[in-house]
mmCIF file of all heavy atoms in Angstrom:
data_model
loop_
_atom_site.group_PDB
_atom_site.id
_atom_site.type_symbol
_atom_site.label_atom_id
_atom_site.label_comp_id
_atom_site.label_asym_id
_atom_site.label_seq_id
_atom_site.Cartn_x
_atom_site.Cartn_y
_atom_site.Cartn_z
ATOM 1 N N LEU S 6 -7.510 -2.114 -1.065
ATOM 2 C CA LEU S 6 -8.594 -3.025 -0.729
ATOM 3 C C LEU S 6 -9.631 -2.110 0.134
ATOM 4 O O LEU S 6 -9.241 -1.234 0.887
ATOM 5 C CB LEU S 6 -8.190 -4.034 0.239
ATOM 6 C CG LEU S 6 -8.880 -5.397 0.582
ATOM 7 C CD1 LEU S 6 -8.007 -6.381 0.989
ATOM 8 C CD2 LEU S 6 -10.024 -5.075 1.592
ATOM 9 N N LYS S 16 -22.609 -14.026 13.657
ATOM 10 C CA LYS S 16 -21.521 -13.379 14.254
ATOM 11 C C LYS S 16 -22.007 -12.061 14.723
ATOM 12 O O LYS S 16 -23.069 -11.621 14.649
ATOM 13 C CB LYS S 16 -20.374 -13.270 13.331
ATOM 14 C CG LYS S 16 -19.761 -14.635 12.753
ATOM 15 C CD LYS S 16 -19.038 -15.401 13.865
ATOM 16 C CE LYS S 16 -18.585 -16.649 13.239
ATOM 17 N NZ LYS S 16 -17.819 -17.453 14.327
ATOM 18 N N ALA S 21 -16.794 -8.833 13.540
ATOM 19 C CA ALA S 21 -16.632 -8.123 12.202
ATOM 20 C C ALA S 21 -15.384 -7.233 12.309
ATOM 21 O O ALA S 21 -14.552 -7.245 11.355
ATOM 22 C CB ALA S 21 -17.745 -7.360 11.844
ATOM 23 N N ASN S 24 -12.198 -9.102 12.419
ATOM 24 C CA ASN S 24 -11.904 -9.577 11.085
ATOM 25 C C ASN S 24 -11.222 -8.463 10.248
ATOM 26 O O ASN S 24 -10.337 -8.809 9.360
ATOM 27 C CB ASN S 24 -13.190 -10.059 10.345
ATOM 28 C CG ASN S 24 -13.721 -11.403 10.985
ATOM 29 O OD1 ASN S 24 -12.986 -11.978 11.948
ATOM 30 N ND2 ASN S 24 -14.910 -11.693 10.778
ATOM 31 N N ALA S 29 -6.698 -6.329 7.288
ATOM 32 C CA ALA S 29 -5.881 -5.194 6.959
ATOM 33 C C ALA S 29 -4.317 -5.707 7.095
ATOM 34 O O ALA S 29 -3.456 -5.340 6.274
ATOM 35 C CB ALA S 29 -5.985 -4.104 7.897
ATOM 36 N N HIS S 45 -21.352 3.598 6.605
ATOM 37 C CA HIS S 45 -22.856 3.296 6.424
ATOM 38 C C HIS S 45 -23.506 3.250 7.813
ATOM 39 O O HIS S 45 -22.897 2.943 8.754
ATOM 40 C CB HIS S 45 -22.834 1.844 5.738
ATOM 41 C CG HIS S 45 -22.403 1.834 4.444
ATOM 42 N ND1 HIS S 45 -23.243 2.250 3.361
ATOM 43 C CD2 HIS S 45 -21.226 1.397 3.801
ATOM 44 C CE1 HIS S 45 -22.478 2.095 2.227
ATOM 45 N NE2 HIS S 45 -21.238 1.549 2.549
ATOM 46 N N ALA S 57 -14.037 6.752 11.434
ATOM 47 C CA ALA S 57 -12.767 7.366 11.822
ATOM 48 C C ALA S 57 -12.240 6.510 12.996
ATOM 49 O O ALA S 57 -11.005 6.231 13.164
ATOM 50 C CB ALA S 57 -12.981 8.795 12.292
ATOM 51 N N LEU S 79 -19.848 13.230 3.646
ATOM 52 C CA LEU S 79 -19.647 14.609 4.143
ATOM 53 C C LEU S 79 -21.018 15.328 4.556
ATOM 54 O O LEU S 79 -20.854 16.036 5.459
ATOM 55 C CB LEU S 79 -18.775 15.385 3.110
ATOM 56 C CG LEU S 79 -18.325 16.678 3.644
ATOM 57 C CD1 LEU S 79 -17.468 16.681 4.946
ATOM 58 C CD2 LEU S 79 -17.466 17.341 2.516
ATOM 59 N N ALA S 119 -31.731 11.597 11.569
ATOM 60 C CA ALA S 119 -31.241 11.327 12.980
ATOM 61 C C ALA S 119 -29.805 11.733 13.035
ATOM 62 O O ALA S 119 -29.310 12.308 14.066
ATOM 63 C CB ALA S 119 -31.492 9.911 13.246
ATOM 64 N N PRO S 131 -19.765 20.950 -2.572
ATOM 65 C CA PRO S 131 -18.486 21.583 -3.096
ATOM 66 C C PRO S 131 -17.880 22.573 -2.137
ATOM 67 O O PRO S 131 -16.670 22.615 -1.918
ATOM 68 C CB PRO S 131 -19.060 22.278 -4.391
ATOM 69 C CG PRO S 131 -20.213 21.557 -4.862
ATOM 70 C CD PRO S 131 -20.844 21.119 -3.566
ATOM 71 N N ARG S 151 -9.815 27.139 13.442
ATOM 72 C CA ARG S 151 -8.784 26.072 13.007
ATOM 73 C C ARG S 151 -9.035 24.692 13.457
ATOM 74 O O ARG S 151 -9.761 24.579 14.478
ATOM 75 C CB ARG S 151 -7.443 26.643 13.393
ATOM 76 C CG ARG S 151 -6.891 27.937 12.809
ATOM 77 C CD ARG S 151 -5.521 28.240 13.271
ATOM 78 N NE ARG S 151 -5.398 28.411 14.589
ATOM 79 C CZ ARG S 151 -4.321 28.179 15.435
ATOM 80 N NH1 ARG S 151 -3.294 27.579 14.800
ATOM 81 N NH2 ARG S 151 -4.425 28.482 16.760
ATOM 82 N N ALA S 156 -4.755 21.333 11.137
ATOM 83 C CA ALA S 156 -3.955 22.370 10.371
ATOM 84 C C ALA S 156 -2.699 21.894 10.160
ATOM 85 O O ALA S 156 -1.869 21.433 11.158
ATOM 86 C CB ALA S 156 -4.091 23.653 11.082
ATOM 87 N N PRO S 161 -4.467 13.747 2.474
ATOM 88 C CA PRO S 161 -4.934 13.664 1.163
ATOM 89 C C PRO S 161 -6.404 13.537 1.086
ATOM 90 O O PRO S 161 -6.964 12.637 1.756
ATOM 91 C CB PRO S 161 -4.216 12.491 0.511
ATOM 92 C CG PRO S 161 -3.117 12.229 1.564
ATOM 93 C CD PRO S 161 -3.506 12.744 2.955
ATOM 94 N N TYR S 209 -2.562 19.908 -5.148
ATOM 95 C CA TYR S 209 -2.593 18.522 -4.769
ATOM 96 C C TYR S 209 -2.116 17.511 -5.714
ATOM 97 O O TYR S 209 -1.619 16.568 -5.237
ATOM 98 C CB TYR S 209 -4.088 18.262 -4.310
ATOM 99 C CG TYR S 209 -4.826 19.344 -3.522
ATOM 100 C CD1 TYR S 209 -5.701 20.275 -4.070
ATOM 101 C CD2 TYR S 209 -4.395 19.562 -2.157
ATOM 102 C CE1 TYR S 209 -6.216 21.201 -3.270
ATOM 103 C CE2 TYR S 209 -4.959 20.563 -1.499
ATOM 104 C CZ TYR S 209 -5.841 21.396 -2.038
ATOM 105 O OH TYR S 209 -6.395 22.499 -1.232
ATOM 106 N N ALA S 225 -10.063 -21.714 -4.833
ATOM 107 C CA ALA S 225 -9.224 -22.712 -5.438
ATOM 108 C C ALA S 225 -9.829 -23.182 -6.802
ATOM 109 O O ALA S 225 -9.095 -23.479 -7.658
ATOM 110 C CB ALA S 225 -9.107 -24.053 -4.521
ATOM 111 N N PHE S 241 -26.936 -8.241 -1.179
ATOM 112 C CA PHE S 241 -27.380 -7.007 -2.145
ATOM 113 C C PHE S 241 -28.721 -7.140 -2.409
ATOM 114 O O PHE S 241 -29.610 -6.124 -2.549
ATOM 115 C CB PHE S 241 -26.470 -7.026 -3.233
ATOM 116 C CG PHE S 241 -26.238 -5.660 -3.873
ATOM 117 C CD1 PHE S 241 -25.443 -4.736 -3.395
ATOM 118 C CD2 PHE S 241 -26.976 -5.376 -4.972
ATOM 119 C CE1 PHE S 241 -25.309 -3.567 -3.907
ATOM 120 C CE2 PHE S 241 -26.792 -4.105 -5.553
ATOM 121 C CZ PHE S 241 -26.005 -3.193 -4.977
ATOM 122 N N GLY S 250 -29.891 -7.030 6.127
ATOM 123 C CA GLY S 250 -29.414 -7.933 7.371
ATOM 124 C C GLY S 250 -28.103 -8.328 7.337
ATOM 125 O O GLY S 250 -27.326 -7.733 6.573
ATOM 126 N N GLU S 257 -26.197 -22.840 -2.601
ATOM 127 C CA GLU S 257 -25.842 -23.508 -3.841
ATOM 128 C C GLU S 257 -26.725 -22.911 -5.109
ATOM 129 O O GLU S 257 -26.065 -22.864 -6.175
ATOM 130 C CB GLU S 257 -26.064 -24.991 -3.828
ATOM 131 C CG GLU S 257 -25.267 -25.751 -2.821
ATOM 132 C CD GLU S 257 -23.713 -25.754 -3.315
ATOM 133 O OE1 GLU S 257 -23.483 -25.496 -4.506
ATOM 134 O OE2 GLU S 257 -22.900 -26.315 -2.607
ATOM 135 N N GLU S 262 -33.540 -18.494 -4.038
ATOM 136 C CA GLU S 262 -33.509 -17.424 -3.102
ATOM 137 C C GLU S 262 -34.000 -16.063 -3.529
ATOM 138 O O GLU S 262 -34.480 -15.254 -2.689
ATOM 139 C CB GLU S 262 -32.160 -17.392 -2.456
ATOM 140 C CG GLU S 262 -31.665 -18.732 -1.773
ATOM 141 C CD GLU S 262 -32.272 -18.997 -0.514
ATOM 142 O OE1 GLU S 262 -32.841 -18.101 0.170
ATOM 143 O OE2 GLU S 262 -32.232 -20.107 -0.110
ATOM 144 N N SER S 276 -21.402 -6.497 -11.578
ATOM 145 C CA SER S 276 -20.654 -6.986 -12.777
ATOM 146 C C SER S 276 -19.276 -6.646 -12.899
ATOM 147 O O SER S 276 -18.467 -7.316 -13.609
ATOM 148 C CB SER S 276 -21.531 -6.710 -13.941
ATOM 149 O OG SER S 276 -21.634 -5.472 -14.218
ATOM 150 N N SER S 278 -16.342 -7.157 -11.708
ATOM 151 C CA SER S 278 -15.792 -7.960 -10.751
ATOM 152 C C SER S 278 -15.017 -9.206 -11.476
ATOM 153 O O SER S 278 -15.116 -9.291 -12.626
ATOM 154 C CB SER S 278 -17.031 -8.558 -9.894
ATOM 155 O OG SER S 278 -17.822 -9.294 -10.688
ATOM 156 N N PRO S 283 -7.694 -18.716 -9.427
ATOM 157 C CA PRO S 283 -6.628 -17.611 -9.747
ATOM 158 C C PRO S 283 -6.489 -17.410 -11.223
ATOM 159 O O PRO S 283 -6.449 -16.180 -11.726
ATOM 160 C CB PRO S 283 -5.388 -18.312 -9.177
ATOM 161 C CG PRO S 283 -5.768 -19.261 -8.092
ATOM 162 C CD PRO S 283 -7.031 -19.742 -8.478
ATOM 163 N N HIS S 297 -10.218 -0.013 -18.864
ATOM 164 C CA HIS S 297 -10.450 1.157 -18.246
ATOM 165 C C HIS S 297 -9.035 1.978 -17.754
ATOM 166 O O HIS S 297 -9.190 3.195 -17.471
ATOM 167 C CB HIS S 297 -11.191 0.979 -16.899
ATOM 168 C CG HIS S 297 -12.603 0.573 -17.262
ATOM 169 N ND1 HIS S 297 -13.598 1.241 -17.873
ATOM 170 C CD2 HIS S 297 -13.191 -0.765 -17.063
ATOM 171 C CE1 HIS S 297 -14.713 0.407 -18.092
ATOM 172 N NE2 HIS S 297 -14.437 -0.697 -17.602
ATOM 173 N N PHE S 318 -8.543 -12.690 -0.833
ATOM 174 C CA PHE S 318 -7.669 -11.537 -1.032
ATOM 175 C C PHE S 318 -6.226 -11.800 -1.052
ATOM 176 O O PHE S 318 -5.416 -11.107 -1.705
ATOM 177 C CB PHE S 318 -7.999 -10.437 -0.022
ATOM 178 C CG PHE S 318 -9.220 -9.751 -0.157
ATOM 179 C CD1 PHE S 318 -10.285 -9.847 0.750
ATOM 180 C CD2 PHE S 318 -9.504 -9.007 -1.262
ATOM 181 C CE1 PHE S 318 -11.599 -9.135 0.507
ATOM 182 C CE2 PHE S 318 -10.633 -8.294 -1.525
ATOM 183 C CZ PHE S 318 -11.768 -8.405 -0.634
ATOM 184 N N LEU S 328 -0.118 -8.333 -12.275
ATOM 185 C CA LEU S 328 -0.726 -7.387 -13.327
ATOM 186 C C LEU S 328 -0.187 -6.000 -13.143
ATOM 187 O O LEU S 328 -0.311 -5.028 -13.966
ATOM 188 C CB LEU S 328 -2.176 -7.367 -13.217
ATOM 189 C CG LEU S 328 -2.881 -8.612 -13.562
ATOM 190 C CD1 LEU S 328 -4.360 -8.603 -13.165
ATOM 191 C CD2 LEU S 328 -2.702 -8.925 -15.089
#
Side-chain angles (χ1 to χ4, degrees):
L6 201 159
K16 301 292 183 180
N24 291 347
H45 293 279
L79 192 51
R151 293 184 294 149
Y209 313 107
F241 204 79
E257 295 286 355
E262 302 281 342
S276 61
S278 61
H297 300 292
F318 284 115
L328 293 172

